[in-house]
């Protein structure tokens, strides 16, 4: 029997979170740097958020800035197993510009009443 999971985040916010994670977690191919989630500067040796392990910061100042600008909500969502599981990825082997890695696989579209997808009617 198939199980349905209800996530505590809308699809639009999930897609936005996916884009942020790819932007701030991926390592640059050229210089092995990451992008600070607080100031946007790309460099090596950033500090990782201890709660979600997905975002990186130059300093506590940058971490506080990002927290106040929305990371608090993203971090809270990422600590939920069902959400975090969707983003479990070896970010040290994902590189910016890597053409072999695709965008998060969810596609948003509205299903028509009675439409059949994978043998199931909606």
């Amino acid at each position: 029997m198939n199980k349905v999971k209800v996530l505590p985040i809308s699809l639009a916010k999930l897609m936005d979170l996916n884009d942020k994670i790819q932007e701030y977690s991926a390592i640059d191919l050229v210089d092995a740097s990451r992008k600070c989630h607080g100031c946007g500067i790309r460099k090596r040796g950033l500090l990782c958020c201890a709660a979600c392990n997905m975002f990186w910061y130059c300093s506590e100042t940058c971490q506080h800035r990002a927290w106040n600008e929305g990371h608090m909500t993203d971090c809270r969502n990422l600590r939920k197993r069902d959400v975090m599981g969707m983003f479990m990825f070896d970010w040290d082997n994902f590189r910016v510009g890597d053409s072999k890695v695709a965008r998060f696989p969810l596609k948003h579209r509205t299903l028509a009443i009675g439409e059949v997808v994978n043998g199931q009617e909606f």
Side-chain angles (χ1 to χ4, degrees):
M1 175 181 236
N2 293 333
K3 293 184 179 182
V4 175
K5 285 280 187 181
V6 177
L7 298 175
I9 183 172
S10 71
L11 181 58
K13 288 183 180 179
L14 190 64
M15 296 300 289
D16 182 52
L17 181 57
N18 171 71
D19 292 342
K20 286 185 210 175
I21 289 172
Q22 286 193 20
E23 182 177 357
Y24 295 104
S25 294
I27 295 175
D28 188 271
L29 279 173
V30 177
D31 62 4
S33 65
R34 294 187 199 266
K35 190 173 183 180
C36 174
H37 189 224
C39 68
I41 293 174
R42 194 169 266 292
K43 66 181 190 179
R44 296 167 111 179
L46 298 179
L47 306 169
C48 186
C49 174
C52 71
N53 296 307
M54 291 285 190
F55 291 92
W56 299 78
Y57 303 97
C58 296
S59 64
E60 280 188 37
T61 303
C62 284
Q63 188 175 17
H64 289 293
R65 180 182 305 136
W67 186 262
N68 293 329
E69 292 176 357
H71 182 63
M72 176 176 60
T73 302
D74 292 340
C75 193
R76 186 180 309 126
N77 283 322
L78 284 168
R79 285 180 273 165
K80 295 174 182 161
R81 283 179 65 166
D82 291 335
V83 175
M84 175 61 91
M86 299 180 84
F87 296 104
M88 293 307 293
F89 192 83
D90 185 359
W91 288 106
D92 288 336
N93 289 317
F94 178 90
R95 301 187 183 280
V96 174
D98 189 344
S99 61
K100 295 178 186 171
V101 180
R103 190 170 182 276
F104 188 68
L106 289 178
K107 301 279 188 228
H108 178 81
R109 76 178 182 89
T110 304
L111 297 176
I113 295 174
E115 183 174 349
V116 177
V117 177
N118 296 330
Q120 183 154 5
E121 185 176 338
F122 291 88

